[in-house]
Each structure stands twice: as C-alpha cells, then as structure tokens.
C-alpha cells in the first residue's frame, strides 16, 4: 500500500542512491526495450514509405513483397486493383501471408466473374442483333433473350442492350398491329355480302381492302402474317368479288320492281288490269329474299285495290264429259305453282323440276280445268324452267370442262396424299352435283373426267397401299413384343432370381417400343392392345410391389434428411452418406419417371433446406462474431481514449480496467481472421492505460513520499528547536507550515499531526527532557526495524544489532505470537517524539523506503 511513496525504475538521476539501487532496471529489460524501440522505428519507417506509394501500384506491389509486417502488407494490398499486379502479388505471397492472398484471390475472382458476365452479355447482344436481322421474328425468341439477359450482371452493356431490345419491341408491336389489322380486314370482308350497302359502295370498299392487303403484304413485317389468314382473305375477297355481280343484279331487280310498284300506285285502280300486271310482274328478273317477299306483299295489296270484272262464261268445250264439268284448280295446285315460281326466281332448277312434275301429276290425276290466267302462268313458268335448264346444261358442260382441267392439274401440284385423295373425292362429288343440277353429262366428258381422276389418284393409291403394308408390318412387330412379354412372364413364373433393374428396363423398353409401333389395322388393333396389356400386367404386378418397397425406402431417406440437425458436427457427413445411398438405390431399381422425379425433388429440397439452414446458422454465427468484434473494438476504443486523456486518475483508470476485463471475458468469440488483430489492439490499449496508471501512481507516490519526509522533518525540526534553549519556537508559525504541506495517508497524517500538536502544547523544559530521554529508544527501534527489514546498520552498531537479534528471537520463541508488521512498527516510530541527528534521520528514511518496497 506504500508503493506511491518511493521512486520506481526510470526516476531521475538526482534521486537518492538507495532509491536508485532499488529501482534500477535489469540488463535484459534494457535489451528488450532497445529491441522494441528499434522495431517500432523500423515499422514507422516502412509505414511512412507505404504512405508515399499511394497511386503507384507497381511500387506498392514491390513494397508488399519486401515488407516484414503483416498489417502493413494488408493495408498496402488494399491499394492493388489491376489484374497484372494482383496476379503477381498472389503468386508471390499465397504461401506466406494468407490474409493478403485471400484479398488478392477475392479481387481476381471478382474480375473473372465480371469478365464472364460481360461475355454472356455480349452473347445476348449478338443474339439480339441476329434477331433484328431475321425476316420473321417471334415473341418466343424475344422472351428467350429476356430470360438470358435477366441473369446477366453487366451494367456497362445495359444501354446497348436496351436500344436493341426497344427495336425488337417495336418490331413485335408492328407485327401485332399488322396481324390485328389483317383480322379486322377479314371480318369486314365477310360482313360485306350481308350489308345493306349499295353495290357501288361495296365495290369501293372491296377495292380499298384489296389495296390495304397489298400494303400489308409489302410491309417490312409481312412475314409475320399467318399464311392461313392471307389465304382466307384472298378466298373471301374472290368470293365477295364474284358475288358482287349477283348483288348488283339483285339490287337492280329490287329497284326495278320498286319503281314499277311506285308507277302502278300512281295510276287509278280502275284503269289497271290484274292479268296484265301479273304478266308484267312475272317477266321481271328475280329478286333476293326477304326484300322480294316484301315487294310481293305490296304487289298483292295493289292487286286487291283493282275492281273485279265479271267476264261472260265461255262456251262449253265440245265433247261429252263424264261426271259433269272438270273441277277448278284447288289451293294445293296454286301453292305448288307459286312454289315453282319462287324456285325459278331463286335459280333452284331441281326444286322447280320437282314442282313441275307435281303439277303435271295433280292436273292429270284430277283432270282439272285451268283458267286462261293460270294456264298462262303455268306456261310462263315451264318456259322459264326450260330456258334455265338449257342454260344450266350449257353451264354444266362448261363447269365439267373446268372440272376436268382442275383434275388434270392436280398431278402438277405438290399436295399431301390425304389432301390429294380429298381433292379427287371432292371433284367426283362436284361432278355428281352437276349431274343433278344440269342433267347427265356426255359420255366423252365422263370418260375424260374418270381417266383424269384415276391418273391423279394413282400416287395416293400407291401411298395408301404402302401404308397398308406398314400396318401389316407393325402388326407383326406387335406380335413379337407380345411373345417377348410372354417369355419374360414364363421366366418370372419359373422361380428364378429376378434382376429387378433388368425387369424395369425391359418393361419400359417394351412399353416404349409399343408406343412407337405406328398404325395397325382396326380389326387387329383392339386384339393386340388387349393381349399386350395382359402380358405386361403380369410383369408389372411384382415390379410394382418392389417399387412400392423402394418408394418406402426413399421416403424413409427423405425423413432422415428432414430429421437431421444441420448444426451438428457430423451433419454434412450424414447428408453425403444419404445422397450416396440414394444413388445406389436409383441404380439398383429405377422407378417410374414421374415418381422418380417427384421423390428426387423432395429429397433434393430436404437436402437444400438442411444446407440452407446450416448456412443460415453459419451466417448468424458470423454476424454474432462480428457483433462481438464490434463490442470488443468499442472496449479497446474506450481504453485508448482513457489512456490518451490527461485527466484520468489512477482510481478511475483501475476501475475502468477491471470493468473492461470483465466485459471482455463476457463477450463471445470474434471471427478467426480478426481475432489476433482484435486481441492485439485490446492488450495494447490495456498496456497503454496501465502505463498511464503506473505513471500516475508513481507521481502520486513521489508526491506522498516528499510530503511525508517534509512533515516528518517538520516535526523533527520543531523538536530540535524545543531542545535548543537558544531558539524561540514561538517565532515560527508551525501550524501554517504544516497546513502548507500536502496531506499524506490518514494513519501517517494522524500520527505526525499528533506528534506536532504534542510538541506545541507541552511545556518546553519537560518536553525537551522527554525528547532527550527518547533518543536511545528511537535508536533502539530503528535498529530493530533494520534487523527486521534486513538493512545493514553500520559497523558502529554491530554489537547492539547482534544483541537485539538474539533478544528478538528469544522473545518470539517464548511468546509464540507473530510480531507486528514493519509498517505498523514504523508508524509507532513516527509517533515517538525523540531527538534525531542527521545520521538517524537518513537511516529512518532509508528504512521507510525498504519497508514501503517490501509492502507492495
């Protein structure tokens, strides 16, 4: 507790010899200090050299290769960024400095990764250029390009790719607009025939649509137009163009009928003749429905307004009639006649011929008598039927000629066999339809048509014969597969050892071969399918049982992976072992592809989850260690700040050191790569603060020792003044001199203050006598303390020293009590008032220095 009273190593040379001898450092300590100073000086020189190399990567690389301090090498390595210098430093230092090599390796890996990303980005740009040059661009190609670019990390290539991508998007948008306009145009063409527009406007719109179609076909993105839409538009356009003439005729007929009705309505009804109106109405060209029906209704309303004139009854025809006069036509006859006229107006010659036959049968069967008006209507209808039939026969022969030409041209077209057969069949159906509409064809035309159809159908016939041969061959292959399945079934039933992998491969191979057989005749298809299914089911049953067990085994392995604790030490080894077991089972018995994929995905997901959890735990541990590092760095920073402060006293510094040590040991581990660095900083901060504390204590000890000597000498001076009769103690203000001196320890302060007060308050003569009487006692106590402390007393006190040593030994042996400590005895010595010369005072100070040193 007295370490603050006396000098320590490093005191000034002016201190007393005894103190210097006690605090003199050893030679080893001096050598160590010299080495530390030299090392610090060398490190400082290299640090200055490193600071001067900023911006010079070549000089920095040379510095790293020659520097012997790892911290300086790591700091300098932060300035290396070029690939050449990184590779040079890594190759030279990878086996000597792990931290620098790791930094170089990480930067080189980052450069290689960036180069790879640039290469992938360049490939995407080249693909985009190629897509822009392609005549036909599809959305799938652009989507595939976007997927490839989404995983590329190359910001410097992004502007160029964005430009190309915008051009591709513009092309796709142009394609969409072109296709949408094509669809709208096709819908408009289909609606034209059913519209109520005049023929001229329909023709104008049709012409405009044709021009728009030509512009679309000449557009840059015309290749994106579906061929089916272009062909359909061309077909619809041709159909509407062909129908346009009929539309014009129908509209002209409607306009003519409407004009006649308007003209007849403007005439007085009594001036009109119903028969003449009917005759004129029938001679008009046919009009389309339902407009014709509306005009017919208006015409009937006009006829109803005409007054009926009763004509004289004609004379009866000569000749006897049996059963009375012939009956008049009934309503059925009138309906059939009107239906015949309507069929003629619509150009339905077949229906009109059937109606005419019905009228003949009805007239002949009932022997009815027709009025002149009806006879005239019937004659006009039959004349129209004959005229149209002649035109139909002529048109039919023309159509047959065109049909023969079309059949002869089929051989020059590159058509699929099925389409060729459909074409020939449709041509024959059209020939039959012409026979129905326009009558039978001449024999020569029929022979030409039949020969042309036979010649056009010949390749299709050969093709279909080849397909039939293939079906027979496929049936033979199916029989062979069924026989192989039956042989495997017999081997399984014989009880031989089964190679389940071979069995699974065989079943899969036969099933695949059956699916690739091709077409088989319908009469054999069902039978062969059933036979193969029965044979395969016999093999599939035991195989499925084995696979169920294998599935259960795989499920158990998945459960084992899920039950693993990823944080255990041997978790990775267990995972690898389970993966190897999985591969062995997969090789021993492959499952169905769908089942195998599902189980493998689950097993892989469980393994990935275990690895992810382990990685997450490692990341959490790393984060925790980084947090510990930050906490320890904060402790070190606090200690460094306290060591740098000038107002930190020894007590607060000691408390701070104890608290820092407790906090340091309470904090967990830090990252291994930074552990040495963190510990080194902490110990350096502790050493710096401890040095600060030691300096403060040494200074405090010096001050206390000086104050104690001054106060002890003040007491001795007062006592010498009292003992000297010539001096006057009252001439000196002893209390003021005492108060001017710094305070010392409480015990010494109390002892010396009591000694001073006693000297001031006691009678002078009596106190001087007491001081003289205690001189011998003081010398005795000093000698006894020197013996206890092992201090030489001098040759003049050798006899008394030996005698006192014997007495002290005998006293301790008799009493058996441990003597008081040297500090207590010295305090008693300070309390003892006695006269002391210079020699005795020096001995007391030397004694106190030894006691204080031993009491540390």
């Amino acid at each position: 507790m007295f370490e603050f009273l006396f000098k320590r190593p490093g005191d000034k040379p002016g201190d007393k010899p005894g103190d210097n001898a006690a605090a003199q450092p050893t030679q080893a300590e001096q050598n160590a200090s010299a080495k530390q100073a030299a090392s610090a000086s060398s490190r400082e020189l290299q640090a200055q050299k490193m600071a001067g190399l900023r911006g010079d990567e070549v000089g920095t690389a040379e510095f790293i290769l020659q520097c012997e301090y790892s911290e300086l090498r790591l700091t300098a390595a932060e300035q290396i960024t070029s690939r050449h210098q990184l590779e040079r430093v890594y190759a030279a230092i990878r086996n000597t400095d792990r931290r620098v090599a790791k930094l170089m390796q990480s930067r080189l890996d980052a450069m290689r990764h960036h180069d790879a990303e640039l290469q992938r980005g360049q490939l995407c740009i080249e693909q985009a250029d190629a897509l822009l040059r392609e005549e036909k661009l599809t959305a799938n190609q652009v989507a595939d390009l976007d997927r490839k670019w989404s995983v590329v990390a190359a910001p410097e290539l992004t502007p160029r790719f964005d430009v190309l991508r915008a051009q591709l998007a513009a092309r796709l948008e142009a394609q969409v607009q072109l296709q949408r306009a094509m669809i709208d145009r096709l819908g408009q063409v289909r609606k034209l025939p059913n519209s109520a527009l005049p023929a001229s406007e329909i023709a104008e719109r049709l012409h405009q649509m044709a021009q728009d179609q030509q512009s679309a076909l000449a557009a840059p993105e015309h290749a994106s137009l579906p061929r089916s839409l272009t062909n359909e538009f061309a077909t619809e356009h041709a159909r509407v163009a062909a129908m346009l003439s009929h539309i014009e005729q129908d509209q002209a007929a409607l306009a003519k009928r409407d004009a006649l009705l308007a003209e007849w309505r403007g005439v007085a009804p009594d001036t009109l003749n119903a028969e003449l109106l009917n005759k004129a109405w029938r001679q008009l060209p046919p009009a389309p429905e339902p407009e014709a029906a509306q005009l017919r209704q208006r015409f009937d309303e006009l006829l109803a307004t005409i007054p009926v004139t009763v004509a004289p009854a004609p004379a009866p025809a000569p000749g006897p009639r049996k059963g009375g006069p012939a009956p008049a036509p009934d309503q059925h006859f009138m309906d059939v006649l009107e239906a015949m006229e309507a069929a003629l107006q619509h150009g339905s010659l077949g229906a009109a011929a059937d109606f005419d036959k019905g009228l003949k049968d009805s007239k002949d069967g009932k022997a009815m008598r027709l009025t002149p008006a009806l006879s005239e209507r019937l004659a006009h209808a039959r004349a129209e039927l004959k005229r149209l039939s002649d035109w139909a026969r002529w048109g039919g022969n023309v159509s047959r000629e065109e049909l023969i030409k079309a059949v002869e041209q089929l051989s020059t077209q590159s058509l699929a066999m099925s389409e060729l057969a459909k074409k020939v069949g449709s041509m024959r159906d059209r020939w039959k339809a012409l026979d129905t509409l326009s009558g039978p064809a001449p024999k020569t035309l029929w022979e030409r048509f039949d020969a042309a159809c036979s010649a056009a159908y010949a390749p299709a016939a050969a093709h279909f014969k080849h397909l039939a041969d293939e079906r027979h061959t496929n049936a033979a292959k199916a029989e062979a597969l069924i026989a192989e399945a039956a042989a495997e079934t017999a081997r399984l039933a014989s009880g031989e050892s089964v190679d389940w992998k071979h069995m699974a491969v065989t079943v899969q191979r036969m099933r695949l071969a059956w699916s690739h057989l091709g077409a088989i005749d319908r009469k054999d298809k069902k039978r062969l399918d059933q036979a193969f299914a029965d044979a395969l089911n016999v093999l599939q049953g035991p195989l499925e049982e084995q696979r169920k067990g294998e599935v259960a085994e795989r499920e158990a392995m998945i459960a084992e992976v899920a039950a693993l604790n990823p944080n255990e030490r041997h978790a990775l080894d267990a995972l690898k072992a389970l993966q190897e077991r999985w591969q062995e089972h997969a090789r021993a018995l492959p499952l169905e592809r769908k089942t195998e994929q599902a189980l493998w995905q689950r097993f892989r997901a469980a393994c990935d989850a275990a690895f992810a959890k382990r990685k997450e735990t490692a990341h959490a541990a790393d984060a925790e260690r980084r947090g510990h590092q930050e906490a320890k760095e904060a402790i070190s920073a606090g200690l460094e700040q306290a060591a740098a402060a000038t107002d930190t006293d020894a007590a607060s510094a000691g408390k701070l050191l104890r608290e820092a040590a407790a906090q340091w040991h309470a904090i967990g581990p830090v990252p291994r790569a930074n552990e040495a660095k963190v510990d080194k900083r902490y110990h350096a901060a502790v050493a710096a603060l401890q040095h600060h504390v030691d300096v403060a204590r040494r200074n405090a000890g010096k001050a206390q020792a000086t104050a104690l000597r001054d106060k002890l000498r003040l007491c001795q001076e007062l006592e010498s003044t009292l003992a000297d009769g010539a001096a006057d103690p009252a001439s000196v203000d002893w209390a003021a001199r005492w108060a001017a001196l710094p305070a010392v320890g409480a015990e010494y302060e109390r002892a010396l203050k009591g000694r001073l007060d006693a000297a001031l308050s006691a009678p002078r003569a009596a106190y001087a006598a007491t001081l003289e009487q205690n001189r011998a006692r003081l010398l005795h106590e000093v000698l006894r303390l020197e013996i206890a402390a092992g201090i030489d007393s001098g040759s003049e006190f050798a006899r008394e020293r030996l005698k006192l040593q014997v007495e002290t030994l005998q006293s301790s042996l008799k009493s058996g009590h441990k003597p008081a400590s040297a500090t207590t005895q010295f305090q008693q010595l300070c309390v003892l008032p006695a006269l002391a010369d210079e020699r005795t005072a020096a001995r007391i100070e030397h004694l106190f220095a030894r006691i204080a040193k031993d009491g540390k």
Side-chain angles (χ1 to χ4, degrees), residues 206-264:
L206 193 64
H207 179 67
Q208 182 63 37
M209 291 179 187
Q211 289 182 349
D212 294 343
Q213 180 68 8
Q214 292 299 324
S215 299
L217 294 178
E221 300 297 333
H222 70 278
S224 64
L225 290 174
R227 186 173 298 176
S228 59
L229 288 180
T230 56
N231 295 337
E232 190 172 358
F233 179 83
T235 303
E236 290 294 327
H237 187 275
R239 183 179 69 83
V240 175
M243 292 177 61
L244 186 59
S245 60
H246 297 289
I247 294 173
E248 293 175 348
Q249 294 175 3
D250 292 343
Q251 290 181 353
L254 290 174
K256 189 172 183 180
R257 286 175 183 255
D258 190 30
L260 279 177
L261 283 175
E263 180 182 354
W264 291 339

Side-chain angles (χ1 to χ4, degrees), residues 829-846:
L829 181 64
C830 291
V831 175
L832 178 64
L835 293 176
D837 53 9
E838 293 295 331
R839 170 64 174 158
T840 303
R843 289 174 63 193
I844 291 173
E845 292 180 2
H846 189 199

Side-chain angles (χ1 to χ4, degrees), residues 43 102 118 190 256 286 311 457 475 521 557 603 640 810:
R43 188 180 185 282
K102 186 176 181 180
L118 287 177
R190 288 173 176 170
K256 189 172 183 180
Y457 188 74
D521 290 335
M557 284 191 279
F603 179 76
E640 291 170 353
Q810 290 176 353

Side-chain angles (χ1 to χ4, degrees), residues 13 34 50 55 67 85 98 125 247 269 278 283 337 345 395 462 475 477 530 593 608 674 709 720 785 832:
M50 180 190 69
C67 182
Q85 299 302 330
R98 184 173 61 86
I125 291 176
I247 294 173
N278 278 321
Q283 289 177 356
L337 179 58
Q345 288 180 1
K477 293 179 181 178
Q530 186 62 40
R593 182 175 182 81
D608 292 343
N674 302 329
R709 284 195 298 268
S720 299
L785 287 173
L832 178 64

